[in-house]
Amino acid sequence: MRIRLQGTPRRPVRRPVAIASDCQTARVPPELLAFCGVAAILVITPGPDMALVARNALVSGRSAVPATTLGICAGILVHALAASIGLSALLRASGTAYAVVKLLGGAYLVWLGVQAWRASMRNGGPGAVDDAGADWMLGPARRFEGGSAFRQGFVSNVLNPKLIVFFVSVLPGFASGGASFFAQVLVLTAAFEALTLAWLLSYGVAVARAGEAMRAARVKKALERVTGTVLVALGLRIASDGAADL
């Protein structure tokens, strides 16, 4: 039994107080999550970007992967900017202009594929396993510089009709009416860029590592021809679609 002396103030009893924090856990908007799911499917779907990254990774090694990927990401920025100011919608509305873009994109991929075949024929004879053949995966490529890889990735992506359709028809559907359209396009594009960067870098490095065990001249020539054939096939398909739209 506790005895309290008279005049001694009663000590207040402290009770646990639920602190209502204004800084609640930030929630990712559902539109952004849904967009990331759709964008991830598009990013990992085989197409010109993956074919180009694989070709450069196999021919020039992992040193060409970052430059090619950054070129592709720079092309995505062009699509986002065009979509935000309405150029992509205008291009999509014009059947002739859209068909011309398809033809140009297909022709560029065919040209890259032909270049790969020509490179395979320029390499040494059947038994050539010289220093160049032994070093084809090491360091900067002797005939394939970073600027060239960046340029190829950029041009291939800008002329990719699939991305024009995506940024005109799909991306605006995930923009709500709460904020400015340009700001929302910027956020969605940043998410798309991050997915593209992560996937293509991982994919390119994996392809390059698989190719490091294939240093023989014959294997190198075969890889160049296979990837060149894939690029030509993709280019012909895109160009044929564009010709049919004219």
Side-chain angles (χ1 to χ4, degrees), residues 86-152:
L87 290 179
S88 293
L90 183 62
L91 181 64
R92 186 74 176 93
S94 174
T96 302
Y98 187 61
V100 170
V101 171
K102 284 185 175 181
L103 286 172
L104 290 175
Y108 185 69
L109 291 177
V110 170
W111 181 80
L112 290 178
V114 171
Q115 290 296 103
W117 268 88
R118 291 181 60 188
S120 69
M121 294 176 181
R122 282 198 303 267
N123 290 335
V129 191
D130 53 3
D131 293 339
D135 294 340
W136 73 283
M137 279 291 178
L138 304 178
R142 296 185 179 181
R143 72 168 190 279
F144 199 84
E145 300 176 354
S148 178
F150 181 92
R151 182 173 61 252
Q152 288 187 1

Side-chain angles (χ1 to χ4, degrees), residues 24-92:
Q24 297 179 351
T25 304
R27 294 183 179 179
V28 180
E31 295 86 358
L32 182 57
L33 291 176
F35 173 80
C36 288
V38 174
I41 295 175
L42 177 65
V43 167
I44 66 176
T45 300
D49 291 342
M50 288 183 61
L52 183 60
V53 170
R55 187 261 174 185
N56 292 349
L58 289 171
V59 173
S60 301
R62 68 185 69 183
S63 61
V65 173
T68 307
T69 303
L70 289 177
I72 291 171
C73 290
I76 293 174
L77 289 179
V78 173
H79 286 290
L81 181 61
S84 63
I85 62 179
L87 290 179
S88 293
L90 183 62
L91 181 64
R92 186 74 176 93

